[in-house]
Amino acid sequence: MSWMVSPKMILLGEFVIGSPDWTMPAIVGGTVLTFLVLLNYSRSQRRDRLGGVSILLKLAAIALLAVCLVEPMRRDQRPRPRANMLPVLVDTSQSMGLTIGREDMSWRDRIDREFAGDATTLARLSQTFDTRIYGFDKRLSSAGEVADLRRDGKATLLLRNLEELNARLRGRPVAGVLLLSDGNDVVSDLDADELPKFDFPIYPVVPEKASGLNDLRITGTVVRQTNFEVSPVTVSVQFAIDGSLTGDVIVRLTDTQDNNVVEEQTMALKANEANYQVSFQFRPDDVGLRFYKVDVFRVTDQSAFDSAESLIETPSSETTLVNNTRLVAVDRKTGPYRVLYLAGRPNWEFKFLRRAVDEDAEVELTGLLRMANKEPKFSFRDQAVSGTNPLFQGLGDDAEETAEQYDEPVLVSIGVKNADELAGGFPKTEDQLFYFDALILDDIEPSFFSQDQLKLIRRFVSLRGGGLMLLGGQEMWAGREFDDSVLGDLSPVYVTRRQMDGPSNQSIQLSREGMLEPWMRLRSTVNEESKRLREMPQFSSINEVGSLKPGAFALATATGADGTQRTAVATQRFGRGKVGALMVADYWRWATNSQPGQSDDAYQSWRQMVRWLVGDVPRRTELIVREDRENDSVVLEVSAVDDRFDPLENGDVQLTVRQPNDAVIPLSVHPVAERPGVFTASFFDDSAGAYIANAEVRSADGKVIGTPTAGWTQQIAGREFDHIGFNRALMETLAKSSGGKLIDESELPQFADKLDSEKVPVTETWVYPIWHRGWVMALALGFLCAEWGLRRYRGLA
């Protein structure tokens, strides 16, 4: 009941006297009654403590009734009915439909019940506020009733949708936002200072039943590819336990192409441990893009997991099984990788290196072997004197005409694709050298190259990003000539200007950094690798070099009989590429000492070394997939360069995406203005499964220069079930930063009455009577009855 303020009323701050005309009669009457009560008490024969209490009770009743005669009232502020908006924001994601513990209804079911069209809660809110129903998951939507909202959203983008709602309602009177969500935003670890500022307070509702959560979920997967030949791919799986699950857990890796199980591991859950990690190391049957499925489930749920058509609805010992599986993409880049090998003289190294690489279908080895040095000769235009190198004389006129001359070294090319390739010897232009992915220089002196060729080698490593390996020999790291050359700059070790005459019988050990490099190891465990190194043959020819350069790492050392150690293998980054140095000049000795029936460790070592050289060398065309969480899409980025590895100009890029249902979608590609040679496209689809993007890049003349491929995966329920349960921490942070507070589910019917009027934009003043309350009359009667009871207790009439 509200009262209008009349002119006769007297305002005393927040209090109002409704009948000021009765003020004097109330004072007189109260005074007279008080005098009579005190007079009667003074004449009484019995004066004790109980008598004093009874007198105070009677006086209190008289004073309360006297105050009621003047009709005391209170003035206050309240929201003007239906003048303020109260958006009801309901989470429409799938996780809201989970029944946790022993609950009969999900959080979303209870919301539908409380906010149905005829529900008391919604009716009481609508009497005071202009209620608006909004739903959100990835997008914000509005509806007439909560029952009209969807229930199958695949992500809870809470903060983004709150920002959008704030923008929609800016400038309008909003009393606050009633938030009904589990709070499992994909970005839920933000500090209060990082949260956006809202124009309204947020009142998150806390569900009464949020306990009893028992869930096993995959928290992350990491795919690592190495140059370790036996198991080049490692898939690490992290999973966590929410609640009190016990027993054994099965972690399974399956190849989705043929549905074959790659590996399965069983481990026991520990009582006080919540986070676990399992790794799978394996070698795929083929290179290229492949997809694998990781499953984690309890042994007791195996039959339900394997036979379920929908993991969301399958009953099990967990809250849900939908977050027990993940799809991962493994992309082992295909070749062919071209490697150019240049040796200063015929030797055993090329023989064994070639044998090893022949077993790798993705690597093509081209060799240049110097058979003889150049021999300058001054003929003084004497036509009778032959200009052909003596090594070719006597082979016939035709052979001598095409043979190397005196002032040219005699080179033999092996493994070329056509007769014109490397016909002029070592490449002299960028397009000739940049055609290769890696360069191996074996026992060659810097004076073999022209200054332009040396600069070309530097650009090959730093600009092209190629791999360079320097192999030991008497011409390598030999004195000032090497140190002052480009090769000396590229080398990861300094030169000591001493000859290669070190001690014999030296054994090889891997350093700590070497043990961490997969291409240096040949065994899967440290103990097995240490045993292999002890059984490895000793070497007698090792280049003596100086210290490591800054940023370089020693991966292996050689130890002589006297205990002297020297660097045997070192690497460093140089620009976009990398450089390795193998100081062992008789590395071939390892292969000659192998016994029948033993593993081909020497050949495996060569293959892994070559794979390391070409492993991350940039190709002319690259296709990269990046996740754009802000726009809930993926960005496909195609980069292309010409044969000089300059950004491709006027190129043409065609890009398509194959969806999980095998539908092929062409995409519109746009060049990036600030990044020449780069093209981008955006793609959105939340269907679960594997996606494959294929690009075709053509030069300005229409020639195809590359067809890169990339892939990614979309999980069964997106990121919605990465966390389940109620995220109280985020809700408290949101409420505190916006000026709201948490509301218990049981307090929803009284929410409109308890809403702080100071934070409501549109209010009105209203006056309500204090005396016209049942508790006032009950209190007065209570005082009188208590006084009468004390009198009877004391034996008075």
Side-chain angles (χ1 to χ4, degrees):
M1 179 183 296
S2 61
W3 295 65
M4 298 296 295
V5 179
S6 67
K8 294 184 178 182
M9 294 183 178
I10 299 178
L11 303 180
L12 300 175
E14 295 181 355
F15 295 95
V16 179
I17 296 178
S19 299
D21 296 341
W22 281 86
T23 303
M24 187 56 65
I27 294 175
V28 173
T31 302
V32 171
L33 291 176
T34 301
F35 175 76
L36 293 176
V37 170
L38 294 176
L39 180 62
N40 184 46
Y41 179 74
S42 63
R43 293 177 178 179
S44 175
Q45 299 296 325
R46 298 182 59 181
R47 298 181 182 179
D48 53 13
R49 183 175 298 177
L50 291 178
V53 172
S54 63
I55 293 299
L56 291 177
L57 290 174
K58 184 178 291 187
L59 292 177
I62 293 172
L64 185 58
L65 294 175
V67 171
C68 289
L69 288 177
V70 298
E71 298 183 4
M73 300 182 185
R74 182 179 175 85
R75 185 177 59 178
D76 203 350
Q77 298 290 321
R78 69 177 180 183
R80 182 178 296 174
R82 299 189 60 79
N84 299 280
M85 292 182 59
L86 180 69
V88 179
L89 193 57
V90 181
D91 189 344
T92 57
S93 59
Q94 293 179 353
S95 63
M96 294 286 289
L98 294 177
T99 55
I100 298 176
R102 298 182 178 179
E103 299 179 24
D104 297 328
M105 301 178 66
S106 66
W107 184 206
R108 177 59 190 275
D109 292 335
R110 300 202 300 274
I111 292 173
D112 289 350
R113 180 189 62 189
E114 293 291 334
F115 289 87
D118 55 350
T120 305
T121 301
L122 184 60
R124 295 189 63 176
L125 290 175
S126 299
Q127 289 176 355
T128 307
F129 302 102
D130 179 14
T131 56
R132 305 287 180 89
I133 305 298
Y134 292 90
F136 76 96
D137 38 71
K138 290 183 177 181
R139 299 287 185 269
L140 185 68
S141 61
S142 59
E145 295 184 3
V146 173
D148 298 333
L149 297 174
R150 58 185 291 189
R151 301 173 66 109
D152 58 350
K154 294 186 177 180
T156 303
L157 302 179
L158 173 57
L159 298 180
R160 181 192 301 177
N161 285 288
L162 279 172
E163 289 183 277
E164 182 178 346
L165 182 63
N166 188 67
R168 287 190 187 185
L169 303 180
R170 183 165 288 132
R172 306 184 68 177
V174 181
V177 172
L178 192 62
L179 179 58
L180 301 164
S181 172
D182 54 14
N184 290 320
D185 193 294
V186 294
V187 183
S188 58
D189 55 351
L190 295 176
D191 296 330
D193 297 337
E194 299 175 330
L195 291 175
K197 302 300 181 183
F198 300 107
D199 299 335
F200 44 70
I202 300 174
Y203 299 94
V205 180
V206 181
E208 288 184 332
K209 299 178 180 180
S211 60
L213 176 65
N214 286 312
D215 188 53
L216 171 65
R217 55 188 172 87
I218 297 178
T219 59
T221 56
V222 178
V223 178
R224 294 190 300 272
Q225 299 190 56
T226 69
N227 305 104
F228 193 36
E229 184 173 297
V230 177
S231 54
V233 177
T234 300
V235 176
S236 297
V237 184
Q238 299 86 38
F239 63 95
I241 302 295
D242 292 326
S244 57
L245 294 177
T246 58
D248 291 338
V249 167
I250 296 176
V251 186
R252 185 169 61 196
L253 181 68
T254 306
D255 188 344
T256 60
Q257 181 171 324
D258 49 22
N259 207 31
N260 287 334
V261 176
V262 177
E263 187 179 350
E264 189 174 274
Q265 299 184 28
T266 302
M267 61 186 307
L269 299 179
K270 299 179 182 179
N272 298 322
E273 190 170 343
N275 298 297
Y276 300 83
Q277 178 170 327
V278 175
S279 294
F280 298 98
Q281 294 182 340
F282 62 100
R283 182 181 182 85
D285 298 335
D286 198 2
V287 294
L289 181 63
R290 297 179 76 108
F291 296 93
Y292 296 85
K293 184 163 66 82
V294 178
D295 299 323
V296 180
F297 50 86
R298 300 177 70 199
V299 174
T300 56
D301 294 328
Q302 181 171 3
S303 59
F305 189 90
D306 291 339
S307 61
E309 295 183 0
S310 173
L311 293 176
I312 297 179
E313 302 174 356
T314 301
S316 66
S317 62
E318 301 181 37
T319 300
T320 181
L321 293 175
V322 72
N323 52 10
N324 293 41
T325 185
R326 283 278 182 97
L327 287 172
V328 296
V330 176
D331 191 1
R332 297 185 66 208
K333 297 295 184 181
T334 59
Y337 297 100
R338 297 296 307 277
V339 180
L340 176 59
Y341 173 90
L342 174 64
R345 58 178 53 83
N347 56 31
W348 291 92
E349 301 292 5
F350 181 70
K351 171 185 177 180
F352 295 114
L353 172 60
R354 190 180 182 192
R355 286 183 181 178
V357 173
D358 281 346
E359 298 184 17
D360 192 336
E362 300 301 316
V363 177
E364 297 178 357
L365 180 65
T366 300
L368 272 178
L369 306 181
R370 183 174 62 182
M371 309 303 294
N373 289 321
K374 58 185 178 181
E375 297 183 11
K377 181 176 179 61
F378 299 95
S379 62
F380 300 101
R381 299 181 182 272
D382 187 354
Q383 297 181 357
V385 178
S386 174
T388 305
N389 192 297
L391 185 65
F392 292 88
Q393 294 178 8
L395 297 180
D397 293 340
D398 294 339
E400 292 188 17
E401 288 180 1
T402 59
E404 285 80 354
Q405 301 300 303
Y406 267 101
D407 57 350
E408 295 178 351
V410 179
L411 297 174
V412 175
S413 58
I414 301 175
V416 294
K417 285 187 172 294
N418 52 66
D420 296 333
E421 187 178 28
L422 302 178
F426 189 80
K428 299 179 178 62
T429 60
E430 289 181 340
D431 59 333
Q432 292 177 344
L433 183 57
F434 286 10
Y435 171 73
F436 295 94
D437 299 291
L439 176 62
I440 300 177
L441 301 181
D442 184 5
D443 196 12
I444 194 78
E445 69 279 1
S447 60
F448 169 83
F449 306 96
S450 67
Q451 289 300 316
D452 290 338
Q453 287 175 323
L454 288 174
K455 294 177 181 178
L456 183 60
I457 294 175
R458 177 195 286 271
R459 291 197 298 273
F460 172 78
V461 178
S462 61
L463 175 63
R464 196 261 188 256
L468 173 64
M469 177 62 71
L470 305 175
L471 300 184
Q474 62 184 9
E475 304 296 343
M476 194 68 69
W477 298 288
R480 182 180 294 277
E481 179 189 5
F482 184 91
D483 194 22
D484 294 341
S485 69
V486 171
L487 298 183
D489 294 339
L490 294 171
S491 172
V493 293
Y494 290 107
V495 176
T496 60
R497 297 185 174 86
R498 284 180 280 182
Q499 299 298 320
M500 188 190 64
D501 55 356
S504 303
N505 298 328
Q506 300 188 73
S507 58
I508 302 296
Q509 299 87 28
L510 297 185
S511 65
R512 179 179 178 275
E513 290 79 9
M515 280 291 187
L516 296 176
E517 287 289 345
W519 68 275
M520 289 292 294
R521 303 195 312 268
L522 303 182
R523 300 291 186 270
S524 58
T525 65
V526 175
N527 292 335
E528 292 177 353
E529 185 68 17
S530 300
K531 179 182 178 182
R532 180 193 68 80
L533 291 171
R534 290 193 298 268
E535 297 174 352
M536 189 177 181
Q538 295 185 331
F539 302 95
S540 59
S541 299
I542 297 181
N543 292 76
E544 187 174 357
V545 297
S547 60
L548 294 170
K549 290 184 178 179
F553 296 95
L555 305 185
T557 58
T559 305
D562 58 354
T564 303
Q565 279 193 348
R566 61 180 64 186
T567 303
V569 180
T571 61
Q572 73 170 358
R573 299 294 304 186
F574 193 94
R576 298 180 64 189
K578 52 192 173 185
V579 182
L582 175 63
M583 273 64 76
V584 182
D586 56 344
Y587 205 63
W588 52 267
R589 196 180 301 275
W590 188 5
T592 60
N593 289 339
S594 62
Q595 302 296 324
Q598 293 183 351
S599 58
D600 59 344
D601 288 345
Y603 296 105
Q604 181 181 340
S605 176
W606 276 120
R607 286 192 294 270
Q608 293 185 179
M609 184 183 300
V610 172
R611 275 289 184 170
W612 171 76
L613 280 175
V614 302
D616 54 359
V617 174
R619 315 302 292 269
R620 287 189 61 184
T621 56
E622 301 275 353
L623 175 56
I624 301 174
V625 179
R626 293 187 292 103
E627 184 180 10
D628 186 0
R629 288 197 173 188
E630 183 176 351
N631 297 313
D632 195 29
S633 63
V634 296
V635 176
L636 304 174
E637 183 177 287
V638 182
S639 59
V641 295
D642 57 19
D643 53 3
R644 293 170 55 90
F645 270 71
D646 292 327
L648 181 67
E649 297 182 358
N650 301 321
D652 179 64
V653 177
Q654 302 293 327
L655 186 60
T656 60
V657 172
R658 194 184 75 189
Q659 297 175 298
N661 59 0
D662 289 333
V664 178
I665 307 297
L667 301 184
S668 177
V669 181
H670 307 281
V672 181
E674 62 275 12
R675 299 172 61 193
V678 178
F679 306 82
T680 63
S682 295
F683 179 78
F684 169 78
D685 185 8
D686 59 0
S687 300
Y691 294 80
I692 300 177
N694 294 285
E696 183 182 80
V697 184
R698 294 179 179 268
S699 59
D701 58 2
K703 182 181 178 181
V704 177
I705 64 174
T707 55
T709 301
W712 71 96
T713 61
Q714 189 73 257
Q715 306 308 319
I716 295 177
R719 298 185 301 271
E720 175 60 18
F721 291 89
D722 288 350
H723 301 279
I724 60 176
F726 185 76
N727 190 347
R728 189 182 184 95
L730 177 61
M731 293 303 198
E732 287 181 344
T733 304
L734 273 176
K736 183 178 180 181
S737 64
S738 64
K741 64 179 180 178
L742 295 182
I743 305 297
D744 290 334
E745 184 181 357
S746 59
E747 298 176 353
L748 272 176
Q750 295 80 32
F751 174 72
D753 300 332
K754 295 184 177 181
L755 194 60
D756 192 347
S757 60
E758 293 181 359
K759 299 175 183 178
V760 176
V762 182
T763 60
E764 65 179 8
T765 302
W766 72 306
V767 179
Y768 57 92
I770 299 176
W771 62 275
H772 198 270
R773 291 287 187 269
W775 64 268
V776 175
M777 186 60 63
L779 186 61
L781 292 176
F783 287 155
L784 295 175
C785 292
E787 188 272 339
W788 181 77
L790 288 177
R791 291 182 61 195
R792 292 296 302 268
Y793 177 77
R794 296 171 61 218
L796 302 176

